[in-house]
């Protein structure tokens, strides 16, 4: 039965340059309707986009609205990118989960079920936010879709720790505290690494909470060329404790020169050149099971710059021969 917050894929969004050999992504999109009683099982690992088209959690967290349009903005630029022979040759569009009534919890539940269904049918989810409250829904769905006993961890590229308490409702600043509670509820370890957190973006309360929860922290000043080998070694140590990894990328972690289209931009963020070698390590591990990008806010973007950054990160994953 179709979840009330589900919106099926709209292939009309996908546009771009025409070719004679289907050279671009928009020419290689297939619809995947999660509202159907059954969906086609993938015979090999296949990438599937799933949108989280809501910024209700951002509004609850006193942020700037606009991220509800993030999934549409990313698809519009992603479709123009090329298909490379060493990566996935087809991209499935599984539609969006929306939040028409402000009831964020219903949207999260639907998205979580959607992620679990994709995992169980052999797909590699690429989630598109929307607020960073996507992370709680995504993790919960991934944990449900993987085999019982899988040691699942999350690596968050972000300026913020997002360990705030619901106040009183969950929001875009609380997903990892909710994940910690969910782990306790289902009897698994909370394995969380936050990469890029900034002292000017998190109150002391959150640093203390991160310490009490044994969060692995790699702060923004460590993300520079001179210390990158040490950072990579730390991440590899984190990966060694896991069977499966969920990567979530909050675009406000990037410097605003690269990502102006977010709710909380700052020039103090990290750069794409710093993140790409880390992404390479995650892909090399073969433990990466799903990815999402959060806080894409086209209302504040410049020339779709942030959307292109987000699509470029997805494209790097999509074109990796070790995955697809």
């Amino acid at each position: 039965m179709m979840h009330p917050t589900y919106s099926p894929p709209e292939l009309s969004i996908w546009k771009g340059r025409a070719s004679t050999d289907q050279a671009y992504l928009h020419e290689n999109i297939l619809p995947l309707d999660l509202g159907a009683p059954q969906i086609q099982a993938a015979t090999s690992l296949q990438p599937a986009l799933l949108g989280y088209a809501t910024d209700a959690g951002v509004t609850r967290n006193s942020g700037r609205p606009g991220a509800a349009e993030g999934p549409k903005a990313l698809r519009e630029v992603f479709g123009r990118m090329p298909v490379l022979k060493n990566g996935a040759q087809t991209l499935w569009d599984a539609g969006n989960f929306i939040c028409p009534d402000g009831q964020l919890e219903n949207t999260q539940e639907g998205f979580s079920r959607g992620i679990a269904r994709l995992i169980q049918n052999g797909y590699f989810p690429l989630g598109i936010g929307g607020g960073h409250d996507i992370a709680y829904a995504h993790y919960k769905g991934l944990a449900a879709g993987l085999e019982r006993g899988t040691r699942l961890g999350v690596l968050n590229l972000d300026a913020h720790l997002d360990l705030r308490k619901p106040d009183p409702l969950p929001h875009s600043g609380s997903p990892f505290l909710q994940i910690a509670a969910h782990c306790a509820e289902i009897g698994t370890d909370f394995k969380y690494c936050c990469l890029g957190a900034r002292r000017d973006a998190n109150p002391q309360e959150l640093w203390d909470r991160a310490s009490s929860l044994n969060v692995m922290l790699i702060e923004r000043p460590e993300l520079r060329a001179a210390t990158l080998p040490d950072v990579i070694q730390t991440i590899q140590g984190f990966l060694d404790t896991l069977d499966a990894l969920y990567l979530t990328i909050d675009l406000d972690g990037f410097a605003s020169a690269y990502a102006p289209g977010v709710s909380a931009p700052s020039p103090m963020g990290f750069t794409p050149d710093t993140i790409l070698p880390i992404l390479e390590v995650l892909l090399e591990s073969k433990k990466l099971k799903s990815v999402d990008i959060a806080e894409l806010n086209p209302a504040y973007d410049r020339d779709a710059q942030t959307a292109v950054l987000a699509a470029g990160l997805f494209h790097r994953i999509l074109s990796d021969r070790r995955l697809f």
Side-chain angles (χ1 to χ4, degrees), residues 82-166:
V83 175
L84 301 182
K85 65 180 180 180
N86 287 332
Q89 301 302 300
T90 298
L91 177 61
W92 298 81
D93 187 343
N96 294 324
F97 282 88
I98 60 175
C99 189
D101 55 4
Q103 298 299 311
L104 179 65
E105 293 76 10
N106 292 337
T107 304
Q108 288 182 312
E109 180 60 29
F111 188 86
S112 178
R113 292 183 188 179
I115 291 292
R117 197 174 190 196
L118 290 175
I119 290 291
Q120 290 164 349
N121 283 277
Y123 294 92
F124 183 94
L126 295 167
I128 319 170
H132 209 180
D133 36 283
I134 188 177
Y136 172 60
H138 196 149
Y139 183 96
K140 188 177 177 182
L142 183 56
L146 293 171
E147 291 184 9
R148 185 181 297 274
T150 300
R151 297 178 300 168
L152 173 62
V154 54
L155 192 149
N156 176 30
L157 303 182
D158 201 343
H160 304 95
L161 296 169
D162 285 344
L163 289 167
R164 294 181 181 274
K165 294 180 179 179

Side-chain angles (χ1 to χ4, degrees), residues 38-262:
Q38 292 183 329
I39 62 172
Q40 180 175 334
T43 55
S44 61
L45 190 64
Q46 296 283 312
L49 288 171
L50 185 61
Y52 182 81
T54 175
D55 48 26
V58 177
T59 301
R60 288 181 183 182
N61 197 30
S62 302
R64 302 191 296 182
E69 297 299 318
K72 180 175 183 290
L74 191 145
R75 286 179 171 98
E76 287 175 343
V77 298
F78 199 22
R80 302 171 195 159
M81 294 184 173
V83 175
L84 301 182
K85 65 180 180 180
N86 287 332
Q89 301 302 300
T90 298
L91 177 61
W92 298 81
D93 187 343
N96 294 324
F97 282 88
I98 60 175
C99 189
D101 55 4
Q103 298 299 311
L104 179 65
E105 293 76 10
N106 292 337
T107 304
Q108 288 182 312
E109 180 60 29
F111 188 86
S112 178
R113 292 183 188 179
I115 291 292
R117 197 174 190 196
L118 290 175
I119 290 291
Q120 290 164 349
N121 283 277
Y123 294 92
F124 183 94
L126 295 167
I128 319 170
H132 209 180
D133 36 283
I134 188 177
Y136 172 60
H138 196 149
Y139 183 96
K140 188 177 177 182
L142 183 56
L146 293 171
E147 291 184 9
R148 185 181 297 274
T150 300
R151 297 178 300 168
L152 173 62
V154 54
L155 192 149
N156 176 30
L157 303 182
D158 201 343
H160 304 95
L161 296 169
D162 285 344
L163 289 167
R164 294 181 181 274
K165 294 180 179 179
D167 186 29
L169 298 173
H171 50 74
S172 64
S174 65
F176 299 103
L177 189 60
Q178 291 177 268
I179 290 173
H182 182 66
C183 288
E185 181 181 327
I186 63 176
T188 61
D189 292 335
F190 176 53
K191 296 179 178 292
Y192 172 34
C193 175
C194 185
L195 192 154
R198 301 200 321 266
R199 291 281 167 176
D200 65 334
N202 298 274
Q204 186 61 48
E205 174 190 8
L206 299 189
W207 296 104
D208 293 343
R209 186 167 297 139
S211 178
S212 69
L213 291 169
N214 295 315
V215 175
M216 178 174 285
L217 296 174
I218 301 173
E219 296 183 40
R220 168 62 186 91
E222 298 177 63
L223 295 180
R224 50 193 176 89
T227 55
L228 197 56
D230 293 334
V231 168
I232 288 174
Q233 186 175 3
T234 299
I235 291 171
Q236 287 174 329
F238 180 67
L239 291 170
D240 287 343
T241 70
L242 307 176
D243 301 315
L245 178 71
Y246 155 46
L247 171 64
T248 181
I249 304 171
D250 189 325
L251 292 168
D252 72 19
F254 288 93
S256 53
Y258 303 94
V262 296

